[in-house]
Amino acid sequence: MQELELLGVPGSPYTRKMLALLRYRRIPHRMIWGSHFEPLANYPAPKVKLLPTFYFPTANGKEAVVDSTPIIQRLEREHADRNVVPDDPLLRFLTHLIEDFADEWVTKAMFHYRWHFSEDAANAGPLLAFWQNLHLEEGPARASSQAFASRQISRLYVVGSSHQTARIIESSFERLVGIMDRIIERQGFVLGTRPSAGDFAIYGQLTQLVWVDPTPARFVAKHSPRLRAWIDRTDDLSGHQGHQWLPRSELRIHLGELIQEIGRVYVPFLIANAKAIQEGREEFETLIDGQAWAQPVFPYQAKCLELLRREAISLPADVHHELRCLFNGTGCEKLLP
C-alpha cells in the first residue's frame, strides 16, 4: 500500500489530530514537517493553503487535499480497519457534533490562550518561527517570530477572542477539562473504550493548550493530570486494543455533561453566526452563557451548522426521536430541525 503523505507543523492542532488518527488506524503515512511558506518542490498546491495538507496518490501523481473532517470521511471509505466513526447512526451524529465542537469552538480557546496573554505569546512566537525552519539564524528568527506574533494577535477578534469574550472562552475550557477528566475515568474516550473522530479533534486542540502554551498547561497540570496523561497516550494509539462503542442506554450518563457544554456555548454561537450571514451582516452580537459575545461572521461555521442539520434530517425517524430526547433541555435541541 502506498504511503499517504501529509504536510504540517507541530503547532497546528489539526496536524496533530490527523497524525494521531493515522497512527491509531495504522494507515501507512509519511509526515512532512513544514508549511506553505516554503512550498514543496514537485508537489501540487491546494486550493486553500491550510495545514495539514494531505497528498493523496492519483493516476497522474498527487492530489493536494485539506480540511480534516472530509479527509477523515474519505479515510473511512478507503480503509476498513479501526474506524473512528461508528456505524450506529445516533453515535455517528454525536461523533460529528463532538468533532465539530472541538474543531470550531475549542480552537477558540487554543487561539485565545496562545495570543491573549503576553507570556504565552512570547513563548509561541519563536516556536512558530522554528517550526517553519529549524535553520534560521538569530536575526531572521527574531524577525519571523515578531511577524508571526503580530499577525496572530491582530486576528484575535476575528476568531472571537477579546476582553469582552475572554471569560466565556476560559470558563468553557475549564469546564471541558473537568468533563474530559470524568469521561476518561469512566470509559477512556467520549464514545466508549475506543477513540472516535471526536476524541482526535479534542486531542488536537489540547496538544497545544497542554504541551505548548504555559497558561492553560498550568491549569491542566493542577486540575487534571489524568487528562494530561490521556493526551500523551492518545498521541500514539497504534497499539490500543479497546473496541467497544458506547451502548445507547449509557449515552445520557456518559455524554450528558459534554452535550450540555456544547449546547451552552457552541450552539448559540453557530445559530447567531448563521443568522447574521443570512441577514448580510459582517459582524454579530449574541449572548453565550448569559454573557455578551461579539465577533465578525465566519462563513465556514455557517456551513458546519448546515451540515449538522442536514445529517439530523436524514436520520431515521426513531433515531431522530431518540436524539431529540437526548438533547432535550441541553441547548443542543436548537440544532435540530
Side-chain angles (χ1 to χ4, degrees), residues 154-297:
S154 72
R155 295 187 68 250
L156 276 168
Y157 181 65
V158 176
V159 299
S161 170
S162 66
H163 290 290
Q164 179 187 38
T165 64
R167 194 56 206 150
I168 301 172
I169 294 170
E170 292 164 20
S171 295
S172 181
F173 168 70
E174 291 167 4
R175 288 191 300 270
L176 180 63
V177 169
I179 290 167
M180 286 301 298
D181 187 284
R182 291 182 285 277
I183 281 175
I184 294 162
E185 182 180 13
R186 284 191 297 268
Q187 291 280 345
F189 300 98
V190 296
L191 286 176
T193 63
R194 61 188 292 180
S196 70
D199 290 285
F200 288 110
I202 292 170
Y203 154 85
Q205 303 299 328
L206 291 179
T207 59
Q208 308 305 303
L209 288 154
V210 173
W211 284 349
V212 178
D213 302 313
T215 299
R218 283 194 293 267
F219 181 87
V220 173
K222 179 179 180 180
H223 295 280
S224 182
R226 186 198 317 276
L227 180 59
R228 167 59 201 258
W230 180 85
I231 298 164
D232 294 342
R233 290 175 57 142
T234 302
D235 189 54
D236 189 346
L237 292 172
S238 56
H240 182 72
Q241 296 300 319
H243 61 278
Q244 296 296 325
W245 295 118
L246 204 65
R248 290 188 186 182
S249 60
E250 296 181 21
L251 285 174
R252 186 177 299 278
I253 294 173
H254 185 62
L255 274 188
E257 283 186 295
L258 183 56
I259 291 170
Q260 286 180 341
E261 183 61 25
I262 294 171
R264 181 175 184 168
V265 292
Y266 185 47
V267 171
F269 163 80
L270 280 179
I271 292 173
N273 177 67
K275 184 174 184 290
I277 290 173
Q278 188 177 28
E279 294 173 352
R281 289 183 278 142
E282 294 184 356
E283 298 189 2
F284 69 94
E285 297 181 2
T286 191
L287 288 178
I288 294 180
D289 198 18
Q291 302 169 72
W293 179 282
Q295 74 162 86
V297 297

Side-chain angles (χ1 to χ4, degrees), residues 126-142:
L127 287 173
L128 282 167
F130 288 120
W131 279 329
Q132 304 293 327
N133 184 351
L134 288 171
H135 305 290
L136 284 175
E137 295 181 357
E138 183 177 349
R142 187 182 308 111

Side-chain angles (χ1 to χ4, degrees), residues 292-303:
W293 179 282
Q295 74 162 86
V297 297
F298 212 115
Y300 183 84
Q301 289 160 349
K303 179 182 176 183

Side-chain angles (χ1 to χ4, degrees), residues 41-52:
N42 303 317
Y43 280 74
K47 293 180 180 178
V48 183
K49 293 181 178 180
L50 299 176
L51 296 177

